[in-house]
Amino acid sequence: KAKEQGKSQISRFELTMNDTVQKRVALERDLRHAISYGELEMFYQPQLDLRAGALCGFEALIRWRMADGRIISPLDFIPVAEESGLIRDVDRYVINCVFQQVAAWLAAGYDPGEVAINISTYSLQEHDIVAYISDTLNRHHVPAARIKLEVTEGLLMKNVDTAQRIMNDLKAVGLKWSIDDFGTGYSALSYLRKYPFDQLKIDRSFVEDVHLNLENASVTRAIISMAHSLGIAVIAEGVETAEQLGFLLQAGCSQIQGYYYSPPLPANSCVQLLADDGVLSLPAISIKRNQR
Ligand code: C2E
Ligand code: MG
Ligand code: MG
Ligand code: MG
């Protein structure tokens, strides 16, 4: 009886495996279709400069809008794209799409500040990415200084030489670099010295309870002062409340991004914001009142 039970467990396990593999394969096929049939779309999340109290840029975030209207999160398909090699096409699609959008905003007389693009660390292993990016900049007449590239530490550690070369080459072209989700992985001081980062993004997990958790509060303060002493700008991601903002202001953080200022917006909705110079009807820049 035990044997039979074991057997049925195994086959259930195999079934689940099969199911997962089949879902993977289907997702990969659909993603390939999405890339060629324009189902991928960029949203833009505004970033707020705390000193100027105004919009200073956007982060471009990809969305997959399926034919039936469902929207799939990048958290669900970027990993599949990375495993299947499709990430090369996704990243290049994003680069092209965002440069085109920035060019359109500039041509219409708007100032979008600096626009950040998330680049998979896989793309940092492809030598022709430098040519691809500079050609695409030229084609759309976008000044390189308008574009910031965000990477997580992922593969940086493994192929230091290649990543360094590509990052330095693109920096020489005039693009900026930001290290995303800082504090979550192995990222340490050495990363900030080894690679030409202009900006560091404090991960949302620190920001979440920064005003309540003493440990996160001191780590956040330490990250900010370390970055500043290296001449690296700091932005906090995932800022949702006035309390979080209050803490970050006090800690000397210069920029924020998060639902408190604005969620990611479709490109059309950004135009109103750009027309108003990024001034949103913020619930409170009367932050002091909300501070504990
Ligand atoms: P990320 O680069 O760290 O992006 C920040 C994520 O936090 C975004 O999720 C954004 O919508 C979300 N977010 C922004 N403000 C808040 C907030 O106040 N509270 C909370 N809870 N969340 C907030 P999203 O758009 O689902 O993207 C998830 C991840 O997928 C990104 O993390 C990035 O690693 C990746 N990704 C997104 N777009 C692209 C892309 O175009 N190319 C590549 N290669 N990866 C992308
Ligand atoms: Mg990012
Ligand atoms: Mg991030
Ligand atoms: Mg993140």
Side-chain angles (χ1 to χ4, degrees), residues 59 61 118 150 180-181 201 237:
E59 178 178 15
L61 295 159
N118 293 282
E150 291 190 8
D180 206 351
D181 303 340
K201 247 183 152 167
E237 70 176 8

Side-chain angles (χ1 to χ4, degrees), residues 8 55-56 66 70 100 107 135 152 160 168 206 228 262 285:
S8 77
L55 177 92
C56 57
M66 297 187 107
R70 267 185 308 148
Q100 198 177 332
D135 291 350
T152 51
V160 177
N168 286 324
F206 290 99
H228 285 167
S262 170
I285 283 287

